[in-house]
Amino acid sequence: MSNETRPAWHHIAADEILDKLGSHSDGLDEETARRRLEEHGPNKLDVKRRRTAIERFLEQFNNILIYILIAAAIVTALLAEWIDTAVIMAVVLINALVGFIQEGKAEKALEQISQMLTPTARVLRGGDTQEIKAEELVPGDVVLLNSGDKVPADLRLTEVRNLKIEESVLTGESQAVSKSVEPLEEDVVVNDQTNMAFSSTLVTYGQAKGVVTATAMNTEIGRISQMLTEEETIKTPLLRQIGQFGKWLSGYIVAFSIFLFMIAYFLRDYTLYDSLLAAISLAVAAIPEGLPAIITITLAIGVQELAKRNAIIRRLPAVETLGAITYICSDKTGTLTQNEMTVRTLLGPSGDYHVEGTGYEPKGDFHQDNKKVDPGDNRDICLLARTSLLCNEAGVQQNEDGEWVMRGDPTEGALVSMGLKAGIKTDDYKRLDVIPFESEHKFMATLDEHESGERYIHIKGAPERILEMCSGLYGDKDGRPFDPDQWKQRMEQTANRGERLIALAIKQAGRDQDTLEVSDIEEGVGLLGLAGMKDPPRKEATEAVRICRQAGIHVIMVTGDHVLTARAIADELGLETTQTMAGSELEDKSDEELRELVKTYRVFARTNPTHKLKLMKALQANGEVVAMTGDGVNDAPALKRADVGVAMGIKGTEVSKESSEVVLADDNFASIEKAIEQGRTIYDNIRKTILFILPTNGAEVLVVLTAILLGVMLPVIPVQILWINMVTAVTLALALAFEPTEADIMLRKPRDPNTPILSRYFVWRIVFVSVLISSFTLILHFRALDSGLGMPVSRTIAVNTLAAGQAFYLFNCRYMDRSVITVTGLLGSRYVLIAIAALVLLQLFLTYAPFMNAWFGTAPLLPAHWSAIVGAGLAVFLLVELEKLVVRAFFSR
């Protein structure tokens, strides 16, 4: 049966479900089970085929600029220019290898999901209990569940006993859900289907029996797996821009090379050999061979920096995309909050008390009306704290690292921590009996004996249920009226602050009572009060939200939690609005309506995987660059669809990690903000690199073009051009990858992802510097020829002038529009100084090593030649600084 047509099993009564599925209380007989297995297939998920290593390596050559280089290598081979051919092919192979390594591990998300299905299941077949392979389950099978079991398929529960199931892989909420068998309304969302058990969730407490309603791809987790298969990973803004730039540039290169060949051969009387060599020279000069490698290295350096900030990058392009983010869709629990329930409020007969402290550490003061209260002298607090400790199964203790950790249910852990904060000791009590919490009666009770011989029944549970049981306030000697409506009003005010309420009560038992029954507490119970608790926001997350808003980044909370809780946390975090919408309200919204909703709403509660994916698509349809955080299987489709998927490293499932680009080692929202800051820095450095590299190509193109138009021999040959392109890229351009973060980077608005990678100002700067460097190169080259120095020496002067121009221009590029003529600007980067020193050594090697002279057609130079070359580089530096000054003055007006 398909996901679209399957019945709402949660809406059907438990005693009818077996008939609907053609089963009975003793389970299916073997023949029926065999027949259904043939009909429905095995209970396992489909896995998409992964690309092989060879396929991934060959894909690295699927780039039009690489095609041009390969074509150039073929032509040089036909011309028997073997050194040129070898150098060109070496460049191609190095770039392919870098890309292959960059991709790293292929997608494993679907494999990880398939491994989440439990290997075996206990079923009733013909009245007998059997353990079978989980993949042999079929709809109609009756499954038995115990504490610690992983649910093997989607089940409609028919019998439960104290059953709690942890469903974080589906809902994202770590708190175990109490289960029941009563039918629910038809439109109840997955998060609230308390009579269902879903495949791959974990039974944390109790036992149950249920009938299989769906297997394999028809389960909730199967539906998510299908969504993950269908969702394509979105290309990052930089990759899109580089792709567009590559197509644009390649078209011009091919057209211009053909045009130049025609001019050289037909108008300038070049031989066919020289004409082809000139065309290849121009093509090689125009292609920024080192740019892909430098971008990759810049991103890789960013990866190392981000790792120091607890953000682990799984795919390199995501580093750059972080800097373009305009929206962050964040889970609440554990990311924006601490994922540690904390009692914040006590409602007692004598008023309300505020409890300080966060997490499970038993440290914090009590206040009433903004005045500190000694809990040991306050009857309300003492009684509430003692009952919290006695009627409890959880424990709180320090681990080896000194951190306070909780064992058991988070709600009970919060009550234990509060009791310890109050300094209450319970060593003088001994438990005699207990009634565990069950969804049928909605409370827990313990029978405890004091060392004096007095016995008490301590009770905690759902507020509405405890209020029904209470006939008054416990031990009230002042005769204060017990008004349930007044307590309900106080409860509503507390709940509106997003706090979850637990009521506490007590009854004195007889000295001879040894056992405890539900009937023992149907009357004579005295109310002590209520405890309001919540998972508090992380302090650093609140500051991170403020910085994001300052940087023009909108934060949306997308959570499986309740609306009131989500709104209260959003208010504490300082989101720009706490306007909230429940996931169920998104069901009938059109794409256009969703696109408008995401512009104004910042809190979406009770969401499921489909809702998250809808929100993601709506934001992207509005042209936004979106980061999505998540930790469960339910988040995987949205994580994969997002521009940057951010998974939690501590509580995240392997599926969520494999579906994302970034993994947070500390599960902290503040680390996302730091990652965005670093992403903006990296993008700045990539832009500086592009602004540096392209004038090299531009200058080389102008040198070749001028020579052809003048009908003279080329000042530089293809192999010399390739040398300059590669050595300047691996030395000078690489230095820009280490540029530090600029002070105002998180005061800027996010960049428009649709803005071309080459702005009009960038184009102007590239043309301006290309003309400067090429002009000085041609001047020194022709002057050397006129002096009778010969072509090898003249070409060597030209190659070194190109290198010198780039070396001095590197200083200009440290600041794109600000002046670099300061101590920090000139000497503030040791990487720049090391890079220039390395380039000097390489150029000396090219100029004076005999075998380099033979391979590259160079010749030794005299000191006077070097003086002219350095002077030309210094002139480039000063003229670019003058250009910056003029541009700043122009824009300031």
Side-chain angles (χ1 to χ4, degrees):
M1 66 193 72
S2 68
N3 286 315
E4 291 77 12
T5 59
R6 64 182 178 180
W9 301 112
H10 59 275
H11 182 56
I12 301 172
D15 55 1
E16 299 176 16
I17 199 77
L18 291 170
D19 289 337
K20 291 279 186 183
L21 288 161
S23 185
H24 44 78
S25 58
D26 289 337
L28 301 173
D29 59 69
E30 292 294 344
E31 177 59 27
T32 303
R34 185 190 60 77
R35 193 168 58 249
R36 290 190 181 184
L37 186 60
E38 291 177 358
E39 177 186 351
H40 294 277
N43 178 34
K44 60 182 182 179
L45 304 182
D46 300 333
V47 179
K48 190 176 180 181
R49 189 185 78 84
R50 291 171 55 186
R51 294 176 302 166
T52 66
I54 293 175
E55 287 173 333
R56 287 191 293 118
F57 182 71
L58 292 177
E59 283 179 10
Q60 307 308 316
F61 297 92
N62 187 22
N63 182 303
I64 194 163
L65 293 175
I66 298 297
Y67 296 159
I68 295 173
L69 282 177
I70 292 172
I74 292 170
V75 174
T76 54
L78 293 173
L79 296 176
E81 295 288 341
W82 302 114
I83 292 177
D84 292 42
T85 304
V87 173
I88 294 172
M89 289 309 300
V91 169
V92 170
L93 289 172
I94 289 169
N95 281 331
L97 187 61
V98 168
F100 176 73
I101 295 171
Q102 167 196 335
E103 277 197 359
K105 296 179 180 179
E107 292 282 353
K108 296 179 183 176
L110 296 180
E111 281 190 6
Q112 293 289 347
I113 288 182
S114 67
Q115 293 169 8
M116 293 184 67
L117 291 179
T118 183
T120 62
R122 289 193 311 122
V123 300
L124 287 176
R125 288 273 175 93
D128 297 327
T129 301
Q130 301 180 21
E131 187 168 291
I132 65 172
K133 292 181 179 179
E135 65 181 46
E136 295 176 4
L137 282 175
V138 295
D141 260 326
V142 176
V143 176
L144 305 176
L145 296 175
N146 283 311
S147 179
D149 287 347
K150 189 178 283 186
V151 180
D154 284 3
L155 311 176
R156 171 62 166 92
L157 299 171
T158 56
E159 297 178 23
V160 298
R161 179 170 177 78
N162 304 331
L163 184 67
K164 289 187 176 183
I165 297 181
E166 197 257 289
E167 298 180 335
S168 62
V169 295
L170 284 176
T171 65
E173 296 305 311
S174 58
Q175 189 166 324
V177 179
S178 297
K179 294 293 184 176
S180 63
V181 298
E182 289 80 10
L184 304 169
E185 294 295 325
E186 190 170 0
D187 58 353
V188 170
V189 297
V190 169
N191 307 52
D192 296 326
Q193 290 178 13
T194 53
N195 57 15
M196 296 289 294
F198 297 103
S199 176
S200 298
T201 59
L202 182 67
V203 178
T204 60
Y205 195 78
Q207 300 85 38
K209 181 189 289 186
V211 59
V212 175
T213 58
T215 61
M217 299 301 289
N218 286 324
T219 61
E220 280 297 315
I221 198 168
R223 187 170 63 88
I224 294 170
S225 176
Q226 183 64 34
M227 291 163 62
L228 193 57
T229 304
E230 293 169 354
E231 284 308 316
E232 294 184 1
T233 305
I234 301 298
K235 273 195 171 184
T236 71
L238 181 66
L239 290 182
R240 292 197 295 264
Q241 291 173 341
I242 290 290
Q244 292 168 355
F245 172 69
K247 291 177 182 177
W248 172 83
L249 182 62
S250 60
Y252 276 95
I253 290 171
V254 171
F256 213 64
S257 296
I258 294 172
F259 174 70
L260 235 66
F261 172 81
M262 303 287 285
I263 291 177
Y265 187 70
F266 293 107
L267 299 181
R268 288 291 179 261
D269 296 325
Y270 278 60
T271 65
L272 180 62
Y273 174 92
D274 288 339
S275 299
L276 285 171
L277 198 62
I280 291 170
S281 297
L282 186 133
V284 170
I287 295 175
E289 300 91 348
L291 185 58
I294 290 299
I295 289 176
T296 300
I297 293 168
T298 305
L299 294 175
I301 292 168
V303 167
Q304 295 175 350
E305 289 300 315
L306 285 165
K308 297 175 185 176
R309 303 181 183 212
N310 293 311
I312 311 302
I313 303 299
R314 294 188 64 255
R315 298 183 181 92
L316 281 183
V319 179
E320 169 271 329
T321 316
L322 283 166
I325 286 172
T326 57
Y327 273 79
I328 303 173
C329 294
S330 178
D331 187 22
K332 175 184 72 69
T333 306
T335 308
L336 292 167
T337 64
Q338 297 186 32
N339 198 21
E340 294 180 337
M341 292 296 285
T342 306
V343 173
R344 304 289 289 272
T345 306
L346 293 177
L347 306 182
S350 301
D352 296 354
Y353 305 89
H354 173 68
V355 186
E356 291 186 337
T358 57
Y360 297 117
E361 182 180 5
K363 183 179 180 181
D365 295 327
F366 293 76
H367 291 82
Q368 185 179 35
D369 299 328
N370 296 320
K371 296 179 181 178
K372 187 176 178 180
V373 175
D374 183 353
D377 295 334
N378 186 286
R379 182 174 183 272
D380 288 355
I381 296 175
C382 284
L383 289 171
L384 286 165
R386 182 173 291 111
T387 300
S388 295
L389 289 168
L390 291 170
C391 188
N392 207 306
E393 300 287 0
V396 171
Q397 61 186 22
Q398 268 186 305
N399 62 17
E400 294 177 355
D401 298 326
E403 298 173 339
W404 285 88
V405 294
M406 185 274 302
R407 171 188 51 79
D409 182 81
T411 299
E412 292 196 324
L415 291 170
V416 170
S417 178
M418 183 272 293
L420 296 176
K421 287 177 186 177
I424 299 298
K425 305 292 184 182
T426 57
D427 298 341
D428 49 354
Y429 281 87
K430 181 176 73 171
R431 180 179 293 185
L432 301 178
D433 200 7
V434 62
I435 297 177
F437 181 91
E438 290 189 21
S439 54
E440 285 77 7
H441 50 243
K442 297 183 179 179
F443 66 81
M444 173 186 176
T446 59
L447 176 61
D448 303 289
E449 182 183 40
H450 189 256
E451 60 185 15
S452 66
E454 296 291 332
R455 298 184 179 185
Y456 300 90
I457 302 171
H458 296 96
I459 311 157
K460 79 169 189 298
E464 63 277 7
R465 181 72 178 97
I466 301 298
L467 283 178
E468 288 175 4
M469 297 161 54
C470 293
S471 55
L473 301 173
Y474 175 72
D476 183 34
K477 298 177 182 178
D478 300 327
R480 288 174 293 183
F482 176 62
D483 184 355
D485 290 336
Q486 185 183 42
W487 281 92
K488 288 178 181 177
Q489 186 177 4
R490 293 173 69 188
M491 287 161 49
E492 186 177 346
Q493 291 172 348
T494 307
N496 284 336
R497 297 198 297 267
E499 295 182 26
R500 183 185 179 193
L501 288 162
I502 296 292
L504 299 146
I506 193 171
K507 177 183 178 180
Q508 187 153 4
R511 283 177 174 260
D512 58 348
Q513 183 174 345
D514 297 320
T515 60
L516 194 57
E517 302 292 338
V518 172
S519 57
D520 294 331
I521 49 179
E522 289 179 346
E523 59 181 19
V525 176
L527 181 68
L528 295 176
L530 298 101
M533 61 189 70
K534 71 186 336 181
D535 180 14
R538 294 176 181 261
K539 290 182 180 178
E540 61 271 29
T542 305
E543 173 64 11
V545 167
R546 184 193 67 78
I547 294 173
C548 284
R549 290 185 60 185
Q550 176 181 281
I553 301 166
H554 305 284
V555 179
I556 293 180
M557 182 194 296
V558 186
T559 177
D561 215 332
H562 294 277
V563 170
L564 284 178
T565 304
R567 184 183 296 140
I569 294 295
D571 188 52
E572 288 190 56
L573 285 165
L575 297 190
E576 55 197 284
T577 175
T578 57
Q579 199 167 0
T580 310
M581 178 170 287
S584 57
E585 299 177 64
L586 299 174
E587 297 286 352
D588 301 324
K589 296 288 189 293
S590 67
D591 292 344
E592 287 300 318
E593 289 173 320
L594 281 173
R595 289 180 64 175
E596 290 303 313
L597 280 174
V598 294
K599 293 178 181 178
T600 53
Y601 283 82
R602 294 293 176 264
V603 184
F604 294 90
R606 307 306 279 167
T607 55
N608 63 30
T610 304
H611 300 148
K612 293 181 180 182
L613 200 52
K614 280 186 173 182
L615 293 171
M616 186 66 55
K617 290 181 178 179
L619 286 165
Q620 289 174 333
N622 287 341
E624 308 295 348
V625 180
V626 188
M628 169 77 191
T629 75
D631 53 21
V633 177
N634 62 314
D635 298 316
L639 287 170
K640 187 175 181 183
R641 171 76 191 192
D643 295 281
V644 180
V646 183
M648 302 298 109
I650 298 174
K651 65 171 183 166
T653 61
E654 287 304 311
V655 179
S656 66
K657 294 174 188 176
E658 289 294 332
S659 300
S660 62
E661 287 78 24
V662 181
V663 178
L664 297 184
D666 59 355
D667 289 12
N668 194 337
F669 182 86
S671 295
I672 303 176
E673 180 269 316
K674 293 297 182 186
I676 290 172
E677 179 183 304
Q678 187 64 28
R680 290 187 174 192
T681 300
I682 290 163
Y683 186 75
D684 263 11
N685 291 348
I686 288 174
R687 292 180 72 221
K688 291 173 184 177
T689 300
I690 292 171
L691 194 59
F692 172 78
I693 286 179
L694 292 187
T696 300
N697 302 99
E700 291 163 353
V701 167
L702 289 175
V703 167
V704 172
L705 178 61
T706 302
I708 293 172
L709 293 176
L710 294 176
V712 298
M713 293 183 69
L714 296 178
V716 284
I717 55 178
V719 71
Q720 293 172 341
I721 292 171
L722 280 171
W723 168 268
I724 286 295
N725 287 352
M726 291 306 292
V727 297
T728 56
V730 300
T731 57
L732 305 184
L734 187 57
L736 294 172
F738 295 93
E739 284 295 296
T741 301
E742 296 189 16
D744 65 342
I745 204 155
M746 290 303 280
L747 296 175
R748 310 173 194 168
K749 297 301 178 186
R751 74 176 192 273
D752 184 351
N754 296 317
T755 301
I757 198 164
L758 294 181
S759 64
R760 284 183 295 176
Y761 177 63
F762 261 42
V763 172
W764 153 250
R765 172 71 68 78
I766 290 165
V767 171
F768 176 67
V769 177
S770 298
V771 169
L772 285 180
I773 295 176
S774 62
S775 297
F776 286 116
T777 300
L778 289 168
I779 289 170
L780 294 186
H781 169 73
F782 287 129
R783 194 175 72 175
L785 280 178
D786 291 343
S787 301
L789 293 177
M791 187 57 72
V793 172
S794 300
R795 280 178 172 164
T796 305
I797 290 173
V799 169
N800 281 296
T801 305
L802 286 170
Q806 285 294 97
F808 279 93
Y809 178 54
L810 178 64
F811 287 105
N812 301 119
C813 289
R814 290 202 63 212
Y815 304 144
M816 283 181 278
D817 48 17
R818 291 185 292 133
S819 174
V820 77
I821 305 178
T822 63
V823 173
T824 303
L826 296 175
L827 303 176
S829 171
R830 61 189 178 94
Y831 296 104
V832 168
L833 301 178
I834 291 170
I836 290 174
L839 179 68
V840 169
L841 292 175
L842 287 169
Q843 289 305 114
L844 291 173
F845 181 58
L846 175 73
T847 304
Y848 294 105
F851 66 92
M852 293 294 284
N853 296 156
W855 288 355
F856 288 88
T858 55
L861 300 180
L862 298 174
H865 302 147
W866 288 112
S867 298
I869 290 167
V870 171
L874 181 61
V876 169
F877 169 78
L878 295 174
L879 289 170
V880 173
E881 286 300 301
L882 179 62
E883 178 262 351
K884 286 186 190 179
L885 179 64
V886 172
V887 169
R888 286 198 304 275
F890 175 78
F891 280 109
S892 66
R893 290 200 300 270

